Amino acid sequence: EIVLTQSPGTLSLSPGERATLSCRASQSVSSSYLAWYQQKPGQAPRLVIYGTSSRATGIPDRFSGSGSGTDFTLTISRLQPEDFAVYYCQQYTGSPWTFGQGTKVEIK
Amino acid sequence: EVHLVESGGGLVQPGGSLRLSCAASGLTFSTYWMSWVRQAPGKGLEWVANIIQDGSEKYYVDSVKGRLTISRDNAKNSLYLQMNSLRAEDTAVYYCARLYYDRRGYPSFDIWGQGTMVTVSS
């Protein structure tokens, strides 16, 4: 099983600041098969990035993804109030498909 | 607009059974892989199962094999999860999700339902 470790656990930032979220895999993950999801309290997850760097429909361009092999990054260039949430990375390379434990982006 | 609406959750005793449903609208349901993903209270996300368009292929996380069964009825635009021999650790919100492969073959769970809560407790 591929274990995804996200860091930091919590990111405390102010609106307008840059957020950098890390996702590290225990084994190499194909860049085609790495996605990021946003989840707000009481809501279902929402796809943000897939294929490491492709933005999902309706996702603003302040969100960007990068990485390869075992290290992947989600960057939010200038945080907006609606961006404060928990973010999960997910890999589709190995079975079972697995998610990271999440990074909470909170308002400082 | 595409919608996925889950139902069927509730409180069940350990060892009991439950059947979850997911009604799809606004999409050609029969042309997509579908999945179940769960989230225990206060915890992260866990992929549970996938099913191919015609139902002939199914994949499960090891912890549910032999107890949970994914199925679909394309005529009814519906996805199901039959849950038997339930355990306390199955307690979670269960989401159905569309597994979308883009033109390059890149997968993602691009559409999610609102979830249905399953509580396994005596």
Side-chain angles (χ1 to χ4, degrees):
Chain A
E1 174 175 324
I2 297 177
V3 177
L4 299 179
T5 302
Q6 294 185 238
S7 61
T10 301
L11 202 49
S12 298
L13 296 168
S14 301
E17 289 193 296
R18 182 184 187 91
T20 303
L21 287 66
S22 173
C23 175
R24 179 160 290 178
S26 60
Q27 304 170 41
S28 184
V29 171
S30 167
S31 58
S32 304
Y33 300 145
L34 193 287
W36 292 88
Y37 297 86
Q38 175 194 72
Q39 189 177 34
K40 298 178 181 178
Q43 296 186 16
R46 176 191 184 193
L47 176 66
V48 178
I49 296 285
Y50 68 99
T52 295
S53 59
S54 296
R55 277 187 300 277
T57 302
I59 299 300
D61 60 7
R62 63 180 180 272
F63 288 87
S64 63
S66 63
S68 63
T70 59
D71 290 295
F72 298 87
T73 300
L74 174 68
T75 301
I76 310 171
S77 59
R78 282 183 297 276
L79 281 164
Q80 299 299 305
E82 61 269 27
D83 300 335
F84 291 91
V86 178
Y87 291 83
Y88 296 94
C89 59
Q90 187 208 359
Q91 66 81 23
Y92 301 78
T93 293
S95 183
W97 292 353
T98 52
F99 291 85
Q101 82 282 13
T103 289
K104 182 179 182 180
V105 180
E106 65 175 23
I107 300 176
K108 186 174 180 179
Chain B
E1 191 177 352
V2 179
H3 284 292
L4 299 174
V5 180
E6 301 94 335
S7 59
L11 174 63
V12 60
Q13 293 188 338
S17 297
L18 213 54
R19 189 195 196 205
L20 307 184
S21 299
C22 172
S25 60
L27 73 163
T28 308
F29 180 74
S30 62
T31 64
Y32 296 100
W33 283 76
M34 295 296 295
S35 304
W36 289 98
V37 177
R38 67 184 179 183
Q39 185 170 35
K43 303 297 184 182
L45 301 166
E46 180 183 35
W47 166 73
V48 174
N50 290 343
I51 187 168
I52 200 171
Q53 289 93 331
D54 66 1
S56 62
E57 293 181 30
K58 304 174 184 182
Y59 302 91
Y60 300 92
V61 66
D62 282 351
S63 60
V64 308
K65 284 179 182 176
R67 302 187 302 114
L68 275 58
T69 302
I70 189 171
S71 63
R72 64 194 297 163
D73 184 336
N74 288 339
K76 295 183 177 180
N77 290 337
S78 292
L79 178 72
Y80 305 103
L81 188 66
Q82 179 65 44
M83 310 174 74
N84 298 332
S85 303
L86 283 163
R87 306 167 179 168
E89 54 265 36
D90 295 317
T91 294
V93 174
Y94 284 75
Y95 296 101
C96 69
R98 183 174 80 169
L99 175 54
Y100 177 71
Y101 288 87
D102 78 352
R103 55 183 168 78
R104 297 166 295 179
Y106 295 0
S108 64
F109 294 133
D110 70 328
I111 297 169
W112 297 65
Q114 86 290 347
T116 187
M117 182 70 204
V118 173
T119 303
V120 184
S121 175
S122 55

